[in-house]
Amino acid sequence: MEKGKLYERIIEQLKDLFQKSDDPVARMATVSALLYHKIDYYFWCGFYLLKDDELIVGPYQGPLACLQLAHNRGVCWAGVREKKPIIVPDVHQFPDHIACDERSQSEIVVPVFTPEGEIYGVMDVDSDKLASFDETDARYLQEIARMIFMKS
Ligand code: SME
């Protein structure tokens, strides 16, 4: 299936599921599980959350990940600093990329904001293939990130 259609189906399913709870952790866990199991090029999918100016792992699916990311390095911190999606076609070409799992080859990070517009953390997806992510992924992942705090 074309990836845009797949994301649209997943978003419809998430809207339905999110009526059961406004809790952001429950929603992030649900997003991670659904995306990871429905999209075949996803190798790792989850959230890193800002706590006391550190990025700490949140709900995720996939191989074991770093619990905390070295301050101000790597793709997730770039997403926090720039407050926009970061698409990395080849992680080996990204200066100071943090490899939690050597098999990751490409990556996308999108910021997650609180209802007040503060940065809350990032959604991060890794693929074990090069150049898996494009503007379509960025667009739909941003829409999903906005749903974490949306009132149902
Ligand atoms: N590669 C990320 C770290 C998190 S893992 O991909 C799960 C980074 O450079 O920030």
Side-chain angles (χ1 to χ4, degrees):
M1 189 190 297
E2 188 247 314
K3 68 162 79 169
K5 284 265 172 301
L6 182 54
Y7 278 114
E8 278 168 22
R9 276 171 61 157
I10 289 169
I11 286 169
E12 284 314 304
Q13 199 174 346
L14 285 172
K15 280 182 188 159
D16 199 35
L17 289 162
F18 285 4
Q19 288 177 13
K20 304 269 185 235
S21 174
D22 286 345
D23 183 86
V25 173
R27 288 184 171 187
M28 289 187 286
T30 303
V31 165
S32 304
L34 198 58
L35 289 171
Y36 181 78
H37 288 282
K38 295 272 181 192
I39 304 186
D40 59 4
Y41 54 92
Y42 276 39
F43 173 72
W44 190 93
C45 170
F47 294 81
Y48 277 92
L49 306 177
L50 267 177
K51 295 186 180 167
D52 298 327
D53 205 29
E54 296 293 345
L55 274 180
I56 312 289
V57 79
Y60 72 91
Q61 296 264 318
L64 188 62
C66 311
L67 271 72
Q68 181 169 331
L69 299 178
H71 201 252
N72 246 331
R73 295 183 52 223
V75 189
C76 292
W77 273 107
V80 168
R81 278 195 310 273
E82 297 188 25
K83 298 186 173 58
K84 64 177 180 56
I86 312 280
I87 297 172
V88 183
D90 179 356
V91 296
H92 305 104
Q93 305 300 320
F94 190 93
D96 73 18
H97 163 259
I98 301 169
C100 294
D101 189 301
E102 292 297 333
R103 289 168 291 180
S104 290
Q105 302 290 328
S106 59
E107 180 164 2
I108 185 169
V109 163
V110 302
V112 180
F113 298 100
T114 66
E116 293 75 34
E118 300 291 325
I119 182 99
Y120 177 74
V122 292
M123 182 172 6
D124 179 16
V125 188
D126 286 18
S127 165
D128 60 0
K129 312 252 174 341
L130 290 167
S132 289
F133 306 104
D134 57 25
E135 291 303 326
T136 302
D137 298 273
R139 179 178 145 214
Y140 286 106
L141 288 175
Q142 282 178 287
E143 190 172 336
I144 291 169
R146 283 193 293 272
M147 291 168 67
I148 300 298
F149 286 102
M150 216 173 258
K151 291 279 166 226
S152 51

